[in-house]
Structure formats: structure tokens, C-alpha cells
Amino acid sequence: MAKEVTKREDNYSQWYNNLVVKADLAENSAVRGCMVIKPYGYAIWEKIQAQLDKRFKETGHQNAYFPLFIPKSFLSKEAEHVEGFAKECAVVTHHRLMKDPNGTGVVVDPDAKLEEELIVRPTSETIIWNTYKNWINSYRDLPILCNQWANVVRWEMRTRLFLRTAEFLWQEGHTAHATKEEAIAEAELIINLYADFAKQYMALPVVIGKKSANERFAGALDTLCIEAMMQDGKALQAGTSHFLGQNFAKAFDVKYATKEGNLEYVWATSWGVSTRLMGALIMAHSDDNGLVLPPKLAPIHVVMVPIFKTDEEHTAIVDAMEALKKQLLKLGLSVKIDDRDNLRSGFKFAEWELKGVPVRVAIGPRDLQNGTAEVARRDTLTKEILPMEGLDSTIFSLMDIIQENIYNKAVTFREENTRKVDSWEEFLVEIEKGGFLMCHWDGTTQTEEKIKELTKATIRCIPLDTDVMIEEGKCVYSGKPSHQRVIFARSY
RNA sequence: CGGGGUGUGGCGCAGUUGGCUAGCGCACCUGCUUUGGGAGCAGGGGGUCCUCCGUUCGAGUCGGAGUACCCCGACCA
């Protein structure tokens, strides 16, 4: 009973934390607020990275890398941007240590004070736009479509594994365009790319929408986002794509010569997803037995557990497994044969379920005689005895079935927990139940803040693509006229 | 930065109104028996009880200060 996971309904956040640690994805580090991503967790992140990277390149983007440190003066060039990040920055003030003259160990050498402090990037707009200034002269230099895979630091008060850590891994795209229309199209392209990735790979349905002015990225004219629903009914912002207008171009004086010979400021976007996606993946699909991984992101697709009494049986079973493994490898699946001899099969079953491996194959002496194997699905927790013959293709097609099933389950859950609410009394009751509330809103920040103050619910987004949301109505709080419903929810 | 809680082998905890050699479960090591849903028995190793100061014949236990972490708020991908 070493690795029992707590139940979801008892304490959702404890369940989540427990799961992350027990499933071997990550753990807290010695550094406050920072986490260690363990090999099993990182393997999932690598799959996410690879797929996104492929999609970025298919849409004409290139990877580049910019410095970790940002001179303090850069950060203050865009007024809203500083305000948004100032409160959570790590600052480098010195560049040297020395032996402690009054004792043992080392102290900061006071003589090594930096003339200008360096900020550990909370995001890279400023350093990148300072660089783009030198890259852009003419309309022929545009567009610039760069992405970087990097780590950033935001000194958060409270942290949670994957969902909010002081340091996190992400990708951040930064693009420069000649026209407003092109920049807006880029921001939309990316948010759709994210949504499609979430659906196809993470088996995660998301709502694409626009942030209200209040929730917008510091320095953006518009923030597009994808919002997902977790199993406790809370919303999680899974990715953002910002239309930055000419704000950063103006702050860093980035102009280009048009065909006609005029000087114009360039238009910008930035966009990103982070290791928070891992949190979304875990919270959206897992159950009380542990992680449930969609096959497209699972580091191990199939785990095989031999059941045996004698050495001869063990050898014969593992031989049969090796043969099946070879066939599965040919089909592109990753396979693990768990032939540890110090653990019982029941323990292994539980352990691999905890780690979310989509399919488990158990073979025992009985199967060996009958030419069968026991195949268990992680998503449904069902198992059946199947003939060894043709098992490779059966398992291969199971992957798509499982992927789809996990997605459908998440869609169903979201639909069951999304509802229209039209009165304030109803809102107060419904928000306690969790989920997405589709409500009319008068469009003012005051109303939005009042609702947040009273209920902790925020506008997750103004959905872009849902026709049903466009209709006349009255604001759920103020009663003023509204033309479209927005999504209210409590969030992470 | 406010409110609450916890610091005892690697992990999770117990330790009564201060009392004698600091204990339990898991994990670990050795051996035997086991293996179709988290094995059993026997033996074994591992502790400056967060730190400092105080009270006392005697402190894991009481008091004070510090410190670290967790939970709830404010802040956020």
C-alpha cells in the first residue's frame, strides 16, 4: 500500500499533488517554489514540445534563443508591461562571491555590485524587441516569426507543481509584422494551433476566446486564450496568444520603411504555452487509481507484466513478450516489459496504472498454453482475454480508441458542467457547484470586478467561435443590455 | 504581507499530567516460502526528536525567540 493515491472527492488539491509525486512526474525542490521534473514527467513534456515544435515549423516559424537576463531599464520601457510583472521579478544585483571574512562559507562581494541590475526574464518581449530593432529596416525584413523554448521566472507567492511554479519551462513566440491585419491573423493562427493540439494530442477540449480588458496580458491590445475545464469544475488557462499592436515597437522604436518609402512602426504578437499544460493533462483525465495518459503523449504505450512461478515459466513468458514487443515496436509503439522479479504482479498492475500507461498486457502460464493474453485498458479499467495471434494490430488500434474515448469523456464532462445562467440569484447558487457559467455581461470592468469580489469567479473568456453565445440579453449582475454571453468560472 | 497548522530514521506518523533504553507502519538489507490485483514469516541496519536560549534532579514533551515547510486569502501561465 505504499503508493496509494487519495480520492478526488476528498480533497482535490491533495489528490492532485499526491498524484504528481506518486506517478513520478515531479517533486518539490530545495529551492522555494521551484520543482524538479523527473524523467517520466519530462518524457511527456518532450512529446508536447516535439509536436508543438513541428506545428510551429509547418506554419513558417523558426526557433531562436534570447538571453535569460534582461537589463532593468528594458523592462520599464513599456508602461503596462512593467506594471504587470514588476511585483514578481527575481533580480541579479551582484556578479561575484567571496569567502566570508567573519566565518566560514561565502558571502556576496559588495565590490561586485552591478551598475545596472539584471532581471531574470519573467517573459522576453523586452529583450527580444530590443534585438528586433536591429533586425528590421525595411518591409522586406518582415515578417519575423521566431519562437524560443526557454525557462522563465515569476516570483509567485504561492506555487503548485506544474500549475504555478517560480521557474517554469515554456515556449514563447514573438512575431513582427508590417500590418495590423497580418499580426491579428498570426495571433489567431496560433491560438487555433494550440486548440487543435490540445484536442488532438492532449485529448483536452478547450474554449477559444478573448480575454476581457481586465484579464489581458500586460502590454497587449488583445489576448486570445484557450480555457479548459478541470475535473473539479475549475477553469485552467492553457495557452495564450497576444496581439500586441504597436506597443512594443513604439517602446523600443522599431520602424520599417514601407514600399512607398514611409517609416512605420511594426505590429507584434507574442504567444506561449508552458509546463502548465502538464497540470492540465493530469487534472483533466486522471482518476483515483492515478494518471490517465492519452496514448499520443504517453511515454510508454504498452506495459507487459509476466505472471510466473518457476524460472522456466518466466523465461518462456518473457520470450513470448519479446516477440510481441518486436511487432509493436514496428508499429511505432513504445513498450516496456516489467520483468522485475522482486515484485508481485498485483503490485506492478497498480504501479503502471498509477503512471497512466494506456494498455497493459499480462501473460501467465495459462495464457501460454492457450495462446492468449490478458489485455487491460487504463481509460476504462476493463480487461479481456485475447488471442496472441493478431494481438499487435489489435493493440495498435486500441490506441486510437483510447485516445478518442479520453477526449469524449472530457467533452461530456465539460458539457455536463456548462450551463446558461440568467439571474444573479441563480449565479450565486450555480457558481458554488463549479463549472462554466455562460452569462450575459454588460462589458464593463466594474461589473466584472464586482462579480469577482463577490464570488471569486472571473470572466474566463469571451468565446470566439460559438454561435449560440451571440444573442441579446441582460447582464447577469447589472441587468444592462448585452449582445453576447461570456464564460464565468472560478479558475486556477 | 494577514489568518491557521506542522517540524520526531528515506516517507507517513504515535509519543498521555515532563520520567528511565524514543516507538510504529511503509521503504531498505539478508534468508526462506511466494507470484492471475498492491505477499508472508524470521532476522538486520538506520535518529544531533528544526535551531538557540530558558525552567527543572530530569525536556521529544513546558516557556521564549528564531527558522523552515504546508493550508486558506491578496498576486499569477
Side-chain angles (χ1 to χ4, degrees), chain A residues 8 21 93 131 156 171 174-175 206 212 295 312 319 332 373 381 394 401 403 424 481 485:
Chain A
R8 275 173 295 185
V21 174
T93 55
T131 311
E156 302 289 352
Q171 62 63 217
H174 297 271
T175 67
V206 294
S212 65
E312 296 77 57
D319 282 350
L381 292 170
T394 310
I401 296 170
Q403 180 83 28
W424 183 241
R485 287 180 189 270

Side-chain angles (χ1 to χ4, degrees), chain A residues 188-256:
Chain A
E188 286 172 358
L189 169 83
I190 294 296
I191 204 67
N192 285 306
L193 185 156
Y194 286 156
D196 189 64
F197 167 76
K199 179 179 176 178
Q200 303 294 337
Y201 276 73
M202 298 180 62
L204 187 69
V206 294
V207 177
I208 302 176
K210 193 178 268 194
K211 285 291 185 192
S212 65
N214 212 28
E215 301 275 326
R216 207 179 274 154
F217 176 74
L221 296 189
D222 253 325
T223 289
L224 303 176
C225 63
I226 51 172
E227 293 285 328
M229 188 191 290
M230 302 296 104
Q231 288 181 82
D232 60 349
K234 281 168 108 175
L236 182 76
Q237 180 175 313
T240 49
S241 178
H242 315 291
F243 168 55
L244 300 174
Q246 294 174 309
N247 287 352
F248 284 91
K250 285 176 180 164
F252 288 87
D253 193 34
V254 187
K255 292 179 192 161
Y256 73 99

